[in-house]
Amino acid sequence: KAKEDGKNIYRYYSQQLTRRAMEHVSLASELHRALTHDEFLVHYQTQFDLQTRAFIGMEALVRWQHPTQGLLLPGRFLPIAEGSGLIARIGNCVMEMVMQQTRRWHEAGLDPGVVAINLSSRQIDSERQLELIRDGLDRHGCKPEWFELEVTEDFLMQNPERAIELFHRLRDLGFELAIDDFGTGFSSLSYLKRLPLTRLKIDRAFVRDLPGDADDQAISCAVIALGQNLGLKVIAEGVETQEQADFLRAAGCDEVQGFLFSRPQPAHAITETLRTRKQHIAAANAGS
Ligand code: C2E
Ligand code: MG
Ligand code: MG
Ligand code: MG
């Protein structure tokens, strides 16, 4: 009996694995087509100053408009892209789209604030990639200070000395620089001091169970204090409830991003938001 059960369990798992593997293989082969057919697009999630509630900027997040499966989130395809070596090409494509869109907003007199772009390690690990980033600014008529580049902590951990050098070069070009998902890796404090950062992003995992969870309280407060001591802005992501926002504000967190304030949205929806905001500001100025 036990043997029979074992066999069934084995069969069940191997079927699951096969299905997963097949989905993986088919998405991997489709990524090439997606790149040549422009199936990737960017959604933007707005960010706010937690103390004044002012709009400060947004984060660019890639999506895949799949012809049969609908809109896919990065969790579905970026790990596959990472494995198949296409991650840099997708990242470059995102950067092109974001620079072009950001330039349009500026041209239209709609201030988008600082636009954050997520970078994979593959996008900055070669001279050619760095040149591509710099050339992108020229080609699209963009200023570096319009953008923040976000890199995850684990990238910094892989090769700290190289990361320090890269960060200095990107900062010298004029970009703002942030560590994403901060608190999930184990960067040493002395090392953080050597990075020319502008912002730390508290990972969503530490925000989710606020304000109830004592460990997450301790971690988020420690990150906020660390940021303050290093002279960096701290932004919390994944803020979904008023209680979370209240806790973070009281703890001295500078900025927020999360579903409580806004979901990631297509560029045209952001354009509307920016236009409405501009009209409000103009009306307020006319009134005073
Ligand atoms: P991330 O950079 O930490 O981005 C924040 C993620 O949290 C986004 O997920 C966003 O939609 C989600 N989020 C924001 N607020 C909330 C909230 O209140 N509740 C919940 N439950 N989620 C919230 P998304 O868009 O699925 O992206 C996942 C990850 O994929 C990103 O995490 C980032 O690491 C990666 N990614 C996204 N776009 C790019 C890209 O263009 N290039 C690279 N290399 N990675 C990217
Ligand atoms: Mg990010
Ligand atoms: Mg993050
Ligand atoms: Mg994250």
Side-chain angles (χ1 to χ4, degrees):
K1 179 82 178 59
K3 206 171 167 192
E4 189 66 11
D5 281 351
K7 241 186 210 162
N8 285 335
I9 287 170
Y10 171 76
R11 194 173 299 136
Y12 173 77
Y13 280 110
S14 77
Q15 277 170 358
Q16 290 289 313
L17 273 178
T18 310
R19 189 172 309 135
R20 281 258 199 88
M22 287 190 19
E23 186 192 84
H24 190 100
V25 168
S26 86
L27 281 182
S29 66
E30 286 182 289
L31 282 171
H32 278 281
R33 185 209 61 226
L35 273 164
T36 51
H37 287 59
D38 297 328
E39 289 170 17
F40 293 106
L41 62 142
V42 179
H43 280 187
Y44 297 85
Q45 188 178 28
T46 48
Q47 304 169 333
F48 300 89
D49 184 304
L50 194 47
Q51 315 293 333
T52 67
R53 293 160 197 270
F55 163 85
I56 52 165
M58 50 190 138
E59 177 173 13
L61 297 159
V62 67
R63 268 88 183 102
W64 179 3
Q65 187 64 63
H66 190 281
T68 57
Q69 298 193 47
L71 195 67
L72 301 183
L73 294 176
R76 276 288 292 288
F77 61 89
L78 283 188
I80 300 172
E82 197 96 45
S84 68
L86 287 174
I87 186 82
R89 281 182 61 193
I90 296 173
N92 294 339
C93 160
V94 168
M95 180 119 56
E96 291 290 312
M97 291 189 281
V98 174
M99 285 184 174
Q100 188 177 50
Q101 181 60 61
T102 303
R103 166 70 194 263
R104 284 200 195 126
W105 280 322
H106 280 278
E107 263 173 0
L110 301 171
D111 181 7
V114 174
V115 180
I117 305 175
N118 292 282
L119 289 189
S120 74
S121 51
R122 296 287 189 79
Q123 264 180 285
I124 40 176
D125 68 0
S126 73
E127 291 303 316
R128 210 187 121 254
Q129 283 295 327
L130 284 178
E131 259 166 48
L132 217 70
I133 295 177
R134 202 185 36 222
D135 291 353
L137 291 174
D138 292 342
R139 260 183 301 114
H140 294 286
C142 289
K143 294 184 181 159
E145 62 265 30
W146 292 350
F147 306 99
E148 173 184 76
L149 305 179
E150 292 188 3
V151 177
T152 55
E153 214 179 350
D154 51 306
F155 164 66
L156 304 172
M157 310 285 303
Q158 285 161 23
N159 189 345
E161 292 306 321
R162 172 81 177 134
I164 288 170
E165 187 207 321
L166 277 171
F167 264 50
H168 276 283
R169 291 175 61 182
L170 291 168
R171 189 76 187 114
D172 288 344
L173 285 176
F175 289 105
E176 310 256 300
L177 296 176
I179 301 189
D180 203 355
D181 303 343
F182 189 74
T184 57
F186 299 92
S187 346
S188 79
L189 302 184
S190 59
Y191 166 59
L192 268 185
K193 238 177 65 180
R194 298 176 54 206
L195 291 166
L197 298 170
T198 44
R199 193 152 77 150
L200 295 179
K201 297 195 81 175
I202 304 181
D203 193 55
R204 188 148 59 87
F206 304 120
V207 172
R208 194 176 44 223
D209 298 325
L210 290 179
D213 187 288
D215 293 336
D216 289 342
Q217 278 191 12
I219 293 169
S220 51
C221 288
V223 175
I224 292 164
L226 178 65
Q228 284 171 344
N229 287 323
L230 292 174
L232 307 174
K233 291 273 182 193
V234 177
I235 182 164
E237 63 184 1
V239 177
E240 294 184 355
T241 70
Q242 191 58 52
E243 290 71 29
Q244 290 166 345
D246 291 342
F247 176 87
L248 289 161
R249 184 183 306 108
C253 185
D254 303 291
E255 300 162 350
V256 272
Q257 174 182 345
F259 294 172
L260 177 64
F261 306 93
S262 69
R263 299 238 165 199
Q265 295 168 44
H268 65 83
I270 297 288
T271 302
E272 281 315 304
T273 307
L274 295 176
R275 196 168 283 144
T276 308
R277 180 174 154 261
K278 190 183 177 185
Q279 283 160 0
H280 280 306
I281 293 171
N285 286 342
S288 66

